[in-house]
Amino acid sequence: MKGCLVMGCAPLVALLLLFSFICTTEQESAPGLRDNLSGLALFALVLGVGATLCALAVAARGSEVLQVTAGLVCGLLLVAAAYRAYTLTPMLKCWGSSATARGQDGSYTCYDR
């Protein structure tokens, strides 16, 4: 039963991380003024990391095979979440703004429409 719970959580976390990446793909890929979706991306990222940590906590009380499998899967998801946090961090300075513009050098400028 624990294995189903833990391994059933992995696709949900993967979708949350994918959603977090998709929210700001346009913002990160090309210079120009875009809607600020960094808050939504951060929310999905926090939910994904929380679900991953809960899955690890449940797996810690399971069999050794479950612990190893969950450790590998959740480890990969946490690496993806860490990369997402690294790419999302520069945008978070514009938390209260409605739009951001990405410069040629990769920096973000905040705008209110």
Side-chain angles (χ1 to χ4, degrees):
M1 184 66 166
K2 289 181 184 178
C4 292
L5 177 67
V6 172
M7 291 301 122
C9 186
L12 171 68
V13 172
L15 286 174
L16 282 169
L17 291 177
L18 180 65
F19 179 71
S20 179
F21 277 106
I22 289 172
C23 281
T24 59
T25 298
E26 183 182 10
Q27 204 171 10
E28 294 174 43
S29 62
L33 191 62
R34 307 278 189 257
D35 290 334
N36 187 7
L37 298 176
S38 61
L40 187 60
L42 180 65
F43 181 69
L45 178 64
V46 169
L47 281 178
V49 169
T52 303
L53 294 177
C54 288
L56 280 174
V58 169
R61 297 182 179 201
S63 68
E64 188 175 321
V65 172
L66 178 62
Q67 290 175 359
V68 170
T69 305
L72 289 173
V73 170
C74 292
L76 287 173
L77 289 171
L78 287 174
V79 167
Y83 176 72
R84 179 61 193 143
Y86 174 75
T87 59
L88 186 62
T89 301
M91 284 181 252
L92 293 179
K93 73 174 188 171
C94 297
W95 181 269
S97 303
S98 62
T100 60
R102 183 171 181 261
Q104 293 292 341
D105 61 350
S107 64
Y108 291 90
T109 307
C110 310
Y111 293 98
D112 287 318
R113 294 185 192 176

